[in-house]
Amino acid sequence: DAEITQSPRHKITETGRQVTLACHQTWNHNNMFWYRQDLGHGLRLIHYSYGVQDTNKGEVSDGYSVSRSNTEDLPLTLESAASSQTSVYFCASSEGQSEIQYFGPGTRLLVL
Amino acid sequence: KNQVEQSPQSLIILEGKNCTLQCNYTVSPFSNLRWYKQDTGRGPVSLTIMTFSENTKSNGRYTATLDADTKQSSLHITASQLSDSASYICVASQIGTGTASKLTFGTGTRLQVTL
């Protein structure tokens, strides 16, 4: 069955370190997204990609970067982790404007 | 500013009872309205998607309604079960410039179903 996976599921890191969160989907979807979820906020878009070599900034992109070298993967990198980036991160994928976004299980990141 | 507001923030009901969750949205240009269910520690899972021309859509015991004129939606859960305990997230979609819609997420209604 097609799926979307994220790794690691839990991560503790220190302020200033570079961190990369992995996202892998086997839906063969062109669209992939990274969101963060914090208490009191709805899911907020960090970065998204419409296909290989395409990346775009979302509403909360500062301090994050992504790259899309193939259809299946969209890794999210925190260049220099900050305590404000402590959050739960979700990856999602979809195909087309009105199609469902399928979400991964999430990565819980703690920055100390 | 695009916004989605949900009420109530949390709700406790007895197993077998019905409940209705509310959503008001301000998104333009509006494309569709989605409801997601998010179990604790998991990613959101889609329940329904409705375009502006659809008034109601069902998925098993879940029935969503949409009034595009008043920009309101509701999610009705019939004969609740313990497994319905989760957060329910309303999401308004606006027409994007690329191949994917731009989504605005509500903060969710936390539903607890008890014995």
Side-chain angles (χ1 to χ4, degrees):
Chain A
D1 286 345
E3 61 177 355
I4 181 166
T5 58
Q6 295 183 233
S7 62
R9 293 295 313 279
H10 303 272
K11 175 78 176 178
I12 301 174
T13 191
E14 295 176 342
T15 302
R17 290 192 179 266
Q18 184 180 79
V19 176
T20 296
L21 309 182
C23 174
H24 180 78
Q25 54 100 359
T26 58
W27 295 99
N28 201 35
H29 287 159
N30 282 319
N31 306 326
M32 294 186 73
F33 311 84
W34 274 104
Y35 295 92
R36 61 178 289 173
Q37 187 174 42
D38 305 287
L39 276 174
H41 293 275
L43 283 148
R44 291 182 290 174
L45 184 63
I46 304 171
H47 281 285
Y48 57 102
S49 168
Y50 291 145
V52 176
Q53 302 301 330
D54 176 76
T55 60
N56 306 278
K57 293 181 179 180
E59 62 178 300
V60 290
S61 61
D62 287 348
Y64 303 94
S65 64
V66 293
S67 61
R68 187 91 180 269
S69 59
N70 59 54
T71 301
E72 296 81 15
D73 299 290
L74 187 70
L76 177 71
T77 297
L78 286 67
E79 304 293 344
S80 177
S83 58
S84 61
Q85 294 177 308
T86 291
S87 186
V88 182
Y89 291 86
F90 289 99
C91 179
S93 71
S94 74
E95 189 68 37
Q97 280 267 357
S98 298
E99 293 298 317
I100 297 169
Q101 284 195 10
Y102 293 90
F103 285 82
T107 293
R108 188 173 294 272
L109 177 67
L110 175 61
V111 182
L112 299 175
Chain B
K1 180 184 177 184
N2 294 326
Q3 276 188 309
V4 173
E5 296 182 349
Q6 294 186 241
S7 62
Q9 280 190 319
S10 62
L11 183 62
I12 302 174
I13 62 172
L14 291 174
E15 187 182 29
K17 298 295 187 182
N18 304 333
C19 67
T20 300
L21 314 180
Q22 303 290 345
C23 173
N24 296 330
Y25 64 93
T26 306
V27 164
S28 180
F30 176 72
S31 176
N32 57 67
L33 193 292
R34 310 171 183 211
W35 283 94
Y36 280 84
K37 178 186 179 186
Q38 185 176 21
D39 292 317
T40 300
R42 298 193 165 217
V45 174
S46 178
L47 293 174
T48 63
I49 297 180
M50 290 180 292
T51 65
F52 65 88
S53 61
E54 296 175 293
N55 297 119
T56 185
K57 183 166 278 190
S58 292
N59 179 356
R61 294 179 297 101
Y62 301 102
T63 300
T65 65
L66 175 64
D67 185 334
D69 291 331
T70 61
K71 296 182 170 57
Q72 294 180 325
S73 177
S74 66
L75 180 69
H76 185 76
I77 304 174
T78 303
S80 60
Q81 299 176 358
L82 295 178
S83 59
D84 292 329
S85 296
S87 286
Y88 291 85
I89 302 172
C90 177
V91 186
S93 169
Q94 63 182 127
I95 297 169
T97 56
T99 60
S101 304
K102 296 188 69 174
L103 306 183
T104 301
F105 292 78
T107 55
T109 292
R110 180 72 194 167
L111 174 66
Q112 184 177 349
V113 180
T114 64
L115 293 170

